[in-house]
Amino acid sequence: LKLLESRNKVRRLNGDRPNFVDMLNAGREDGSSKKINWEPFKSYFELVLRYIPDHMAAKELLGYVSYQMGRENKSIDLFKSTEEYNSVLFWPNYNLGVINFKKGRYQEACDYLIKAISTNPEVIKKFMLDEIIYKQIFATALFDFNLQERINNAIASSYVLIIASLARLQQYDKVLFFSATAMKNKDFPYQAAFYFYSALACLELKQIDKALLLLSKNIELDNQNPVAYYYLAQIYKSIGKQEASLSMFKRYEEVRNKNKDWVIYDQRIQVRFYWSCWPLPF
């Protein structure tokens, strides 16, 4: 009887399994849910949890889907329900960090994101590769990314939000510490962001020479950041280099007018379930 019941559950799950293409497209569109019907995914993950109430991957993914459907409180509850597995699970802590950051709760965002980056990347990868639901997602024809690269991407995104949170909390020494840590990892993307926030911290700490070098490195990596040119103009003006200041201010106006949709780095980060495309590269 148990075997028969088990087989019936498997048939039901296989029959209700949705096509994960739309979920993958949501990642490609930076979490946009405008054209996606999330209901089949919600129903499927809820069915998994009905049969296996402690299924961690289903909780992660249902939390992501709930957030996309505008059910933020439900999403938060699902992510928090995995807390006893903090040493293994990256995504719930990552997403709770993102949600708290968007709410302006910067200390809470830091706390969750530091838990996220403390997770062993190899454990994150192994958990995802061993979980049947992720296997189903990865078997989708649309899946064409290297999983390790996407994990590194998410960890780097975590550092961006940790640093931005600490800057808002005016903990500038910690901004420099976490930025330096992230810069050392050459596998991390978004190095321009680390230089940018380090520069702002140095400005607050009156370390003008360091700020000048860091902003110069930022625009070397991301020459479409208008804010960096603005700060460079102000720095040059403060140290009496009027010609350089005017040149930077002119460049600031040119870049700002050319890239009216440019968004500061921390505002590009979204809730995700394994990957997401940034609106603009950096």
Side-chain angles (χ1 to χ4, degrees):
L1 288 174
K2 287 183 179 180
L3 179 60
L4 181 61
E5 182 183 5
S6 177
R7 286 176 176 172
N8 285 335
K9 287 180 179 180
V10 170
R11 289 193 191 98
R12 176 75 188 278
L13 287 169
N14 286 337
D16 285 16
R17 185 173 66 197
N19 186 331
F20 288 106
V21 168
D22 279 349
M23 246 181 113
L24 292 167
N25 273 330
R28 288 183 186 277
E29 296 165 9
D30 196 41
S32 171
S33 58
K34 292 179 181 177
K35 299 179 181 179
I36 295 173
N37 177 15
W38 293 101
E39 194 62 41
F41 304 105
K42 172 179 173 292
S43 298
Y44 180 64
F45 298 135
E46 285 179 341
L47 182 61
V48 174
L49 289 171
R50 190 186 312 162
Y51 292 152
I52 314 171
D54 293 326
H55 198 290
M56 293 298 105
K59 287 183 178 182
E60 285 185 358
L61 293 163
L62 183 57
Y64 168 78
V65 168
S66 297
Y67 184 85
Q68 296 294 358
M69 296 179 77
R71 300 171 181 175
E72 186 177 282
N73 290 337
K74 176 67 172 177
S75 174
I76 290 170
D77 288 343
L78 283 160
F79 290 141
K80 285 186 174 180
S81 71
T82 69
E83 283 185 337
E84 63 181 294
Y85 297 92
N86 277 341
S87 63
V88 177
L89 299 179
F90 172 85
W91 297 111
N93 287 309
Y94 172 88
N95 285 323
L96 286 167
V98 174
I99 292 169
N100 277 282
F101 183 87
K102 289 181 178 296
K103 293 288 187 182
R105 298 191 287 258
Y106 301 118
Q107 186 58 61
E108 290 90 338
C110 265
D111 293 342
Y112 281 114
L113 290 162
I114 288 172
K115 288 179 184 177
I117 64 172
S118 299
T119 309
N120 186 327
E122 289 302 317
V123 174
I124 304 170
K125 184 177 178 181
K126 186 176 188 313
F127 172 78
M128 296 178 75
L129 290 175
D130 288 347
E131 276 294 337
I132 185 63
I133 298 179
Y134 277 108
K135 286 180 179 179
Q136 293 169 351
I137 294 171
F138 298 157
T140 304
L142 188 64
F143 181 80
D144 58 359
F145 278 87
N146 180 288
L147 182 58
Q148 188 61 59
E149 288 180 359
R150 304 325 295 172
I151 291 171
N152 287 339
N153 179 293
I155 296 173
S157 300
S158 300
Y159 272 98
V160 171
L161 282 193
I162 290 169
I163 293 161
S165 296
L166 291 169
R168 286 167 170 80
L169 294 168
Q170 300 183 355
Q171 297 180 21
Y172 301 117
D173 288 335
K174 289 184 179 179
V175 170
L176 295 178
F177 170 79
F178 279 97
S179 296
T181 302
M183 289 175 193
K184 288 177 183 176
N185 194 323
K186 302 306 179 184
D187 290 332
F188 284 175
Y190 316 137
Q191 294 289 326
F194 306 138
Y195 283 101
F196 178 75
Y197 291 113
S198 294
L200 298 191
C202 286
L203 282 175
E204 295 292 341
L205 295 170
K206 310 301 181 186
Q207 299 173 4
I208 304 301
D209 290 343
K210 287 184 179 179
L212 185 61
L213 290 172
L214 290 164
L215 285 170
S216 298
K217 184 64 176 178
N218 171 263
I219 61 174
E220 179 184 323
L221 296 172
D222 177 17
N223 62 11
Q224 300 305 307
N225 178 358
V227 185
Y229 292 108
Y230 177 83
Y231 279 116
L232 282 169
Q234 296 301 316
I235 291 173
Y236 282 127
K237 183 178 179 180
S238 71
I239 60 178
K241 294 187 176 182
Q242 295 299 324
E243 187 174 341
S245 177
L246 289 172
S247 175
M248 286 295 109
F249 192 77
K250 180 181 178 182
R251 181 65 178 145
Y252 156 69
E253 291 187 319
E254 290 172 350
V255 173
R256 183 189 62 178
N257 292 331
K258 180 182 177 183
N259 300 286
K260 294 185 182 296
D261 294 332
W262 192 88
V263 180
I264 196 68
Y265 305 118
D266 57 69
Q267 298 302 311
R268 308 179 192 186
I269 297 175
Q270 303 294 331
V271 167
R272 57 201 279 188
F273 71 98
Y274 91 95
W275 74 287
S276 177
C277 287
W278 296 65
L280 295 171
F282 64 90

